[in-house]
Amino acid sequence: MPELPQMQALAERIEAWVGGTTFEGYVPLGFSGLKTAVPSPDELVGRTLTGVGRRAKYVILEFDGEPERRVVFHLSQAGRVDFEQPPKKTKPKGSVVRWLFADDKAMLVREFGTERKAGWWVLGPGDDGPLATLGPEVTSEEFAQWLRTSDDGRRVHTILRDQHTVAGVGRGYADDALHRAKLSPYASLKSLDAAERERLLGAIVAVLDEGLERERGRSGGLSENKLGEHFTVHGRAGTPCPVCGDELKRVSYESHEVAYCPRCQTGGKVLADRRLSRLVK
Ligand SMILES: [Zn+2]
């Protein structure tokens, strides 16, 4: 799933690709992609893309002209973006929308799999749309202060993935940050002492920084089906831990799999698969 590093680097590439050019139109390719009815995307036609930003896992396209118009899009688990020059006329499976820009350029938003959760919003002045309920950015001082002082009883893994608490991290970097911090995926925030919290903060920043550095080496859009081959532990259960060499394990948790190293993170303890044990009962 694209997380902060993928989306930040994608925003930077979009700015370099079509920043300063004119929006010429759009071709809706999916039924559920456009999440707003008003303002109409037609109002964007003829406007210049003046800036591209990111908030959480959303990319924000800013256009000139009055009244203010922004486009926000989200790729969910398996959404991707293709850069096209010249624009294609194809409609690949899972297509959401094709945005057309001057200079014969286009961006196609499409989605692998069957979830159909990728989407885009056209926002007017004062409307933050899906951004309104997001927590602070994961790399912000606001979140750091919260993490140092909160007695939130939820698991850190759950907290990191809850975009209303903290924005930008998903399963992949949550797995890697906990491994880097040598903390159990089942650790609750409340149970962590001050030193562990600082270690966690440092680990989060480090894995995201490294992820962003790597993502900035990518070119074009964000087309590949598999994006996560570079994770340290996420998706790598069954392979050796890069720190200690023991085999990484997986545990099913809240309908997805968490990868971790027992020796590095849980004092050697193999975590119980709760979904499985419920079935066995
Ligand atoms: Zn290890």
Side-chain angles (χ1 to χ4, degrees):
M1 153 206 262
E3 301 180 33
L4 183 157
Q6 285 78 23
M7 297 307 277
Q8 175 63 36
L10 174 62
E12 292 168 5
R13 290 195 300 278
I14 291 173
E15 177 136 49
W17 167 245
V18 286
T21 68
T22 306
F23 186 81
E24 295 198 329
Y26 68 104
V27 184
L29 298 169
F31 293 112
S32 58
L34 180 60
K35 307 296 184 189
T36 43
V38 182
S40 166
D42 295 333
E43 289 187 30
L44 302 168
V45 176
R47 293 183 184 230
T48 299
L49 180 66
T50 52
V52 183
R54 178 200 56 80
R55 172 84 169 96
K57 301 178 210 167
Y58 296 84
V59 168
I60 304 163
L61 310 176
E62 291 170 356
F63 295 89
D64 72 349
E66 295 289 333
E68 176 197 303
R69 292 287 179 259
R70 293 183 295 169
V71 165
V72 168
F73 72 88
H74 187 261
L75 297 178
S76 189
Q77 300 288 334
R80 299 294 182 262
V81 175
D82 293 344
F83 289 180
E84 299 174 343
Q85 188 178 30
K88 295 180 180 170
K89 300 252 191 277
T90 54
K91 184 187 172 185
K93 195 163 175 284
S95 293
V96 176
V97 64
R98 181 176 275 121
W99 294 312
L100 308 171
F101 287 87
D103 305 329
D104 229 15
K105 292 177 177 175
M107 288 196 292
L108 171 70
V109 180
R110 62 194 170 86
E111 200 169 0
F112 287 99
T114 55
E115 279 214 309
R116 302 293 164 262
K117 283 187 178 167
W120 60 298
W121 292 254
V122 182
L123 303 178
D127 184 3
D128 281 334
L131 311 180
T133 58
L134 293 169
E137 286 288 307
V138 64
T139 53
S140 67
E141 189 53 34
E142 183 183 351
F143 173 65
Q145 282 308 332
W146 180 87
L147 194 82
R148 288 184 181 112
T149 54
S150 171
D151 61 356
D152 195 316
R154 291 177 297 165
R155 288 171 177 163
V156 173
H157 201 280
T158 305
I159 290 171
L160 288 177
R161 288 180 295 105
D162 175 4
Q163 302 301 300
H164 304 296
T165 303
V166 56
V169 169
R171 305 167 189 187
Y173 291 102
D175 280 8
D176 276 15
L178 284 163
H179 176 263
R180 171 83 64 120
K182 298 193 185 304
L183 294 171
S184 167
Y186 280 3
S188 70
L189 179 56
K190 195 163 61 176
S191 72
L192 300 185
D193 64 27
E196 288 169 328
R197 291 176 190 227
E198 287 306 320
R199 215 162 72 218
L200 176 61
L201 275 170
I204 293 168
V205 170
V207 298
L208 292 174
D209 275 356
E210 287 171 18
L212 181 56
E213 203 55 42
R214 190 176 298 264
E215 284 299 320
R216 280 177 171 153
R218 203 187 283 272
S219 58
L222 190 67
S223 295
E224 298 84 351
N225 187 358
K226 299 276 181 205
L227 299 173
E229 290 78 2
H230 57 274
F231 285 120
T232 305
V233 297
H234 179 68
R236 292 186 175 274
T239 68
C241 168
V243 172
C244 73
D246 276 12
E247 187 184 301
L248 297 172
K249 300 289 185 195
R250 65 165 67 90
V251 62
S252 293
Y253 167 48
E254 289 179 2
S255 82
H256 62 267
E257 282 194 343
V258 173
Y260 69 102
C261 171
R263 187 196 279 194
C264 291
Q265 294 177 255
T266 59
K269 189 176 161 222
V270 174
L271 298 173
D273 187 331
R274 305 202 165 192
R275 196 172 53 179
L276 192 63
S277 46
R278 254 207 313 274
L279 285 172
V280 167
K281 265 181 215 164

